[in-house]
Amino acid sequence: STRIDIVGVTKTYDGNTRAVDAVDMSIREGEFFSLLGPSGCGKTTTLRMIAGFETPTEGVIEVGGVDVTHVPAHKRDMGMVFQNYALFPHRTVGENVAFGLRMRGMERTTIARKVADALAQVELVGYEDRRPGQLSGGQQQRVALARAIVIEPRVLLCDEPLGALDKKLRQAMQFELKQLQRKLGLTMVFVTHDQEEALAMSDRIAVMNAGKVEQIGAPSDIYDRP
Ligand code: ADP
Ligand code: ADP
């Protein structure tokens, strides 16, 4: 399973900043789960600990019952998408998407097929040979999404992935991302500071403030409270 259990997790930087403060929550398999709150409340730190990039100071994070810090990086079944796309500017779209597959030492023909499939999923068929700089912001974010899903992860971690896009495009991409998450059956952890976005996309939302989870529930629960 890809259920994510966050159990008594605290992350302290420099011995005093409590970026994440005694958080307990579980993210269900296949749900679209958002971490919502203002800048500095601990969303990214939580996401990075789920990814295994950071180790909790206290507590444990398990994916499918296994402590993420005990799983080697290349065996973690997770894709990541960031706000700034983090594409390699001098590489083609195809090379950018192929990156994770090359790292896994896959055969050239298998890579080509998987890259084409991933680009089809994000509606960028035929863009293999372009460079990121020749694409719009929305297209670049689709390339970043293709690069994340090409390894066929069961968990997708997104850090403000639509934050750099203008409002109209952002709404279109919200819809596309939600559809893709459903279609692929991904367990989604989605970081945003935009309440409207979290309400529109999520099955459940954790509202964070100053390192703590203040509310957790379906959009209707969150919305109803003052
Ligand atoms: P958010 O994603 O909600 O904006 P972050 O998780 O990035 O919040 O940050 C939470 C708090 O932890 C902030 O006070 C931030 O400055 C601090 N912080 C985050 N990463 C580090 C780090 N690597 N070193 C020191 N402090 C950090
Ligand atoms: P966000 O967009 O979530 O607010 P930031 O731009 O604050 O993220 O942080 C970007 C990166 O810098 C993250 O990897 C975070 O862990 C790190 N970081 C954030 N705050 C600090 C800090 N005070 N000291 C060192 N690193 C930090």
Side-chain angles (χ1 to χ4, degrees):
S1 113
T2 53
R3 179 192 167 90
I4 301 168
D5 292 301
I6 300 174
V7 186
V9 167
T10 290
K11 179 70 181 182
T12 312
Y13 288 111
D14 318 319
N16 49 35
T17 312
R18 284 183 166 252
V20 174
D21 193 358
V23 166
D24 283 291
M25 61 186 172
S26 292
I27 299 164
R28 299 167 188 152
E29 182 162 43
E31 80 173 333
F32 195 117
F33 189 93
S34 291
L35 299 174
L36 171 68
S39 182
C41 73
K43 306 180 299 293
T44 295
T45 301
T46 302
L47 198 73
R48 289 174 60 81
M49 288 192 288
I50 295 170
F53 296 163
E54 306 263 7
T55 309
T57 310
E58 289 168 37
V60 67
I61 298 182
E62 294 181 348
V63 178
V66 180
D67 185 336
V68 290
T69 64
H70 294 169
V71 182
H74 66 280
K75 295 226 167 127
R76 289 183 205 130
D77 203 8
M78 296 188 245
M80 281 204 79
V81 183
F82 307 93
Q83 174 170 354
N84 59 7
Y85 322 133
L87 300 173
F88 303 115
H90 302 296
R91 301 289 177 98
T92 65
V93 165
E95 288 165 348
N96 269 280
V97 177
F99 180 75
L101 303 177
R102 292 236 175 86
M103 296 279 286
R104 286 167 170 77
M106 247 172 231
E107 261 183 67
R108 190 177 281 268
T109 50
T110 311
I111 291 177
R113 177 173 51 77
K114 284 179 184 280
V115 167
D117 283 352
L119 286 173
Q121 296 280 9
V122 300
E123 292 172 36
L124 282 179
V125 171
Y127 281 73
E128 273 91 341
D129 297 329
R130 308 260 190 119
R131 302 208 182 247
Q134 297 172 295
L135 304 178
S136 70
Q139 289 171 330
Q140 289 184 54
Q141 194 51 289
R142 290 211 192 93
V143 175
L145 188 56
R147 186 180 55 185
I149 63 171
V150 77
I151 60 166
E152 298 173 47
R154 291 192 302 150
V155 177
L156 190 60
L157 307 177
C158 292
D159 196 348
E160 300 263 4
L162 310 180
L165 308 177
D166 66 48
K167 190 163 186 203
K168 192 159 167 243
L169 184 57
R170 189 172 178 143
Q171 284 175 345
M173 289 282 294
Q174 284 174 4
F175 181 74
E176 284 181 30
L177 188 56
K178 175 91 189 175
Q179 280 207 315
L180 193 63
Q181 179 262 339
R182 280 275 169 269
K183 185 174 165 196
L184 300 178
L186 297 167
T187 301
M188 171 73 102
V189 189
F190 186 88
V191 163
T192 182
H193 64 267
D194 182 340
Q195 177 171 310
E196 225 178 290
E197 181 165 272
L199 291 171
M201 300 186 78
S202 312
D203 295 314
R204 289 194 307 144
I205 300 169
V207 181
M208 294 188 71
N209 191 29
K212 291 188 179 293
V213 172
E214 293 200 323
Q215 292 182 38
I216 188 162
S220 55
D221 301 331
I222 304 291
Y223 190 70
D224 282 343
R225 290 180 211 176

